[in-house]
Amino acid sequence: MRIEEIILRNMIYDDVYVRKVLPFLKDDYFHDLLDRKIFENIKTHVEKYNNNPSIETLSIVFSEANDLSEDQLDSINGILSDIKDNENTSTNSEWLVDETEKFCQDKAIYNAVMESIHILEPEGKQREARDRGLIPKILADALSISFDPNVGHDYLEDYEDRYEYYHRTEEKVAFDLINLNKITKGGLSKKSLNIVLAGTGVGKSLFMCHCAASNLNDGKNVLYITLEMAEERIAERIDANLLNVDIQDLQALSKEVYESKIQTKKKKTSGKLIVKEYPTAVAHVGHFRHLLNELRLKKEFLPDIIYIDYINICSSSRLRPGSNVNSYTFVKSIAEELRGLAVEYNVPIMSATQTTRTGFGSSDVELTDTSESFGLPATADLMFALIATEEMDELDQVLVKQLKNRYNDPTELRRFVLGIDRSKMRLYDAEDSATDELISDKVEEDNEDRFGGWEI
């Protein structure tokens, strides 16, 4: 008996089996038209009546069908008759579930290969125009088919799993800055979208270049996607940071000295850093997904973290620019797609956004100072502002203010100061006294605002 007939028979007579496998079976796994028709009717009946159909029920349904020829109807009745004759045949349930899973995997791979061939057909043939970069994902999805018995977390029964989760050490991508690690409980979590908010020229790209260089030093694989500056400009900033050379002096280095510094750094890290440039306002998650698949196939490169510089000048894969969509919806859509990409590839994504004109001149930026769309902070897991005043510029410092934090309590260490070395595109931990003085000044300022001065 064919595996298809065994599956169909047990879907009729075995209630436990059908509830295990039905969520994973698809119509197109049954390549024979008649098998597919029987499966479709069993599935429809189970979903509508919440029980298995009988042979008699299926016979009536097919007898009333008007899309089958007499020969096809006779063949279906023959299959149903064979299933009924084997009603009492026992099959090991665990073996059958395993074989059904293998059946789904084999059919999914076959379908994926055929779909890939269809995408590769010459342009002259009638076919839907599809990006060939989708082929790796189509094949990867087919290869990932598996039966997952998990249907949710049972609060009272799964308490042991929950307890283990509370005490499990989460794998994070750490910063090299103490206070950023404090507010994130050790770094950025996988499957998260993290946003730095700052005005023009304050240091959004500097911050991301510094973090990318730090991640590379830690042996991480880093993907830096730029839509604002050229690849070489980003690499130049990272050079200044990693090689400890003023950015203005890089051109003065001889090739031998420069190569020696790069080789020394190469020996000290097991990570890789890929910088990829896209035109402004053109690239979206579809392009990024294609890039990730290409890097995996051609360079065996899987990133541990992705930087996107920056989110407002990405495009949306779902909404077309200028298609009667306001900026709130458009930027929120981009944020949701990027967070989905982070979940899909199990990595943290760090990006940046601009402040509004009001926020640009403010010494105390708020979430409402986010430009274009308040939907962005609604989607982000972590959001903090970089604030630079004339006084702080003179001290080579930048203020960090938490705006939203799903990792930790955002009121804990709400503000702190980082040192900034713009010549080497580098950030560093400022002395505790700088942050203490900042908090003290803020308390005095709040009291003055509340009482209109100290004399009350």
Side-chain angles (χ1 to χ4, degrees):
M1 182 178 286
R2 297 177 300 122
I3 183 64
E4 288 87 349
E5 287 189 32
I6 296 174
I7 291 172
L8 295 173
R9 173 167 61 85
N10 283 274
M11 290 187 72
I12 294 172
Y13 293 117
D14 190 337
D15 181 68
V16 175
Y17 169 78
V18 74
R19 298 191 185 283
K20 282 183 179 180
V21 304
L22 189 58
F24 307 102
L25 286 167
K26 295 182 180 179
D27 301 350
D28 58 5
Y29 291 169
F30 295 88
H31 293 165
D32 182 85
L33 174 63
L34 304 183
D35 291 337
R36 185 162 62 250
K37 288 289 185 182
I38 295 172
F39 170 76
E40 288 172 352
N41 280 285
I42 293 174
K43 181 179 180 181
T44 301
H45 184 95
V46 172
E47 290 176 346
K48 185 174 182 179
Y49 299 106
N50 200 29
N51 58 29
N52 300 10
S54 65
I55 292 293
E56 291 73 18
T57 300
L58 292 173
S59 298
I60 293 172
V61 169
F62 283 117
S63 67
E64 295 174 348
N66 54 15
D67 59 342
L68 296 172
S69 66
E70 288 188 12
D71 290 341
Q72 289 174 329
L73 184 58
D74 289 341
S75 297
I76 286 178
N77 286 329
I79 295 172
L80 295 177
S81 178
D82 290 340
I83 290 174
K84 188 170 183 179
D85 291 341
N86 290 280
E87 175 182 355
N88 297 321
T89 303
S90 62
T91 305
N92 182 282
S93 59
E94 290 185 10
W95 174 87
L96 182 57
V97 170
D98 289 343
E99 286 299 306
T100 306
E101 182 177 17
K102 185 175 180 297
F103 167 81
C104 292
Q105 292 167 343
D106 291 344
K107 297 300 181 182
I109 292 170
Y110 176 85
N111 291 345
V113 171
M114 296 305 294
E115 185 177 359
S116 301
I117 293 172
H118 180 66
I119 291 174
L120 293 171
E121 284 179 352
E123 292 291 340
K125 296 189 177 182
Q126 292 294 326
R127 68 175 180 88
E128 180 186 357
R130 298 181 67 186
D131 184 2
R132 297 185 179 193
L134 291 173
I135 292 176
K137 184 177 186 303
I138 292 170
L139 295 172
D141 289 345
L143 290 168
S144 66
I145 295 292
S146 66
F147 285 9
D148 183 2
N150 180 32
V151 292
H153 179 81
D154 188 320
Y155 178 80
L156 295 177
E157 296 296 329
D158 297 338
Y159 63 89
E160 290 184 355
D161 293 340
R162 195 161 61 251
Y163 184 83
E164 288 181 11
Y165 168 78
Y166 294 152
H167 295 82
R168 186 183 308 146
T169 302
E170 184 181 3
E171 185 181 349
K172 293 194 171 191
V173 177
F175 295 96
D176 64 342
L177 301 164
I178 294 173
N179 285 333
L180 280 172
N181 279 330
K182 282 183 180 178
I183 67 172
T184 57
K185 291 186 175 180
L188 301 179
S189 297
K190 294 180 178 181
K191 304 180 181 181
S192 63
L193 176 63
N194 310 276
I195 302 294
V196 54
L197 169 68
T200 301
V202 173
K204 298 185 299 295
S205 296
L206 184 153
F207 175 84
M208 289 195 287
C209 286
H210 169 87
C211 291
S214 168
N215 298 148
L216 180 62
N217 268 336
D218 288 342
K220 303 294 185 183
N221 284 340
V222 183
L223 174 60
Y224 196 110
I225 295 172
T226 172
L227 297 95
E228 186 176 35
M229 289 186 286
E231 295 172 359
E232 294 79 10
R233 288 297 182 189
I234 296 297
E236 180 184 37
R237 292 174 171 223
I238 295 173
D239 267 342
N241 183 297
L242 286 177
L243 306 184
N244 197 31
V245 177
D246 283 5
I247 195 166
Q248 302 298 333
D249 296 337
L250 282 172
Q251 291 183 347
L253 292 179
S254 66
K255 184 177 180 181
E256 291 76 16
V257 173
Y258 179 74
E259 185 175 2
S260 174
K261 286 179 175 290
I262 291 293
Q263 292 300 325
T264 300
K265 185 61 61 177
K266 190 175 181 180
K267 291 175 183 177
K268 291 181 178 180
T269 182
S270 59
K272 289 184 178 181
L273 171 61
I274 303 291
V275 183
K276 174 62 178 176
E277 177 187 0
Y278 286 99
T280 301
V282 170
H284 52 66
V285 292
H287 298 92
F288 305 155
R289 187 178 290 112
H290 175 76
L291 172 63
L292 288 163
N293 289 332
E294 290 285 293
L295 288 171
R296 181 179 58 190
L297 291 172
K298 295 177 179 178
K299 286 184 171 285
E300 297 183 353
F301 175 89
L302 294 172
D304 295 302
I305 185 168
I306 300 173
Y307 292 90
I308 298 177
D309 191 4
Y310 59 96
I311 194 168
N312 295 68
I313 52 177
C314 292
S315 188
S316 169
S317 64
R318 296 179 292 176
L319 304 175
R320 291 192 308 175
S323 57
N324 257 355
V325 179
N326 57 44
S327 63
Y328 173 91
T329 303
F330 191 70
V331 176
K332 187 174 189 295
S333 175
I334 297 170
E336 290 170 345
E337 292 165 14
L338 288 180
R339 194 173 189 283
L341 187 72
V343 173
E344 181 180 347
Y345 285 89
N346 195 33
V347 295
I349 289 180
M350 170 67 77
S351 190
T353 188
Q354 299 270 21
T355 58
T356 59
R357 282 180 293 178
T358 305
F360 177 75
S362 174
S363 61
D364 192 22
V365 173
E366 301 289 347
L367 273 179
T368 50
D369 294 314
T370 306
S371 68
E372 295 190 270
S373 175
F374 197 71
L376 174 54
T379 307
D381 296 281
L382 172 70
M383 192 163 179
F384 56 89
L386 297 179
I387 304 169
T389 62
E390 290 184 6
E391 294 81 1
M392 300 192 81
D393 283 342
E394 291 177 1
L395 296 171
D396 292 326
Q397 292 178 343
V398 64
L399 169 64
V400 179
K401 179 184 177 183
Q402 291 191 68
L403 302 176
K404 178 183 179 180
N405 193 342
R406 288 177 177 164
Y407 301 107
N408 206 347
D409 180 1
T411 61
E412 184 177 341
L413 202 60
R414 171 75 79 177
R415 299 173 180 82
F416 55 91
V417 174
L418 292 175
I420 185 168
D421 183 350
R422 295 186 184 275
S423 65
K424 294 180 180 176
M425 296 291 140
R426 184 179 294 167
L427 297 166
Y428 55 90
D429 292 307
E431 295 181 1
D432 292 340
S433 58
T435 298
D436 293 340
E437 184 179 343
L438 172 74
I439 294 173
S440 176
D441 291 345
K442 183 61 184 171
V443 169
E444 291 182 10
E445 181 183 321
D446 289 345
N447 286 333
E448 288 180 1
D449 290 342
R450 183 180 303 170
F451 301 117
W454 286 108
E455 295 182 347
I456 56 174

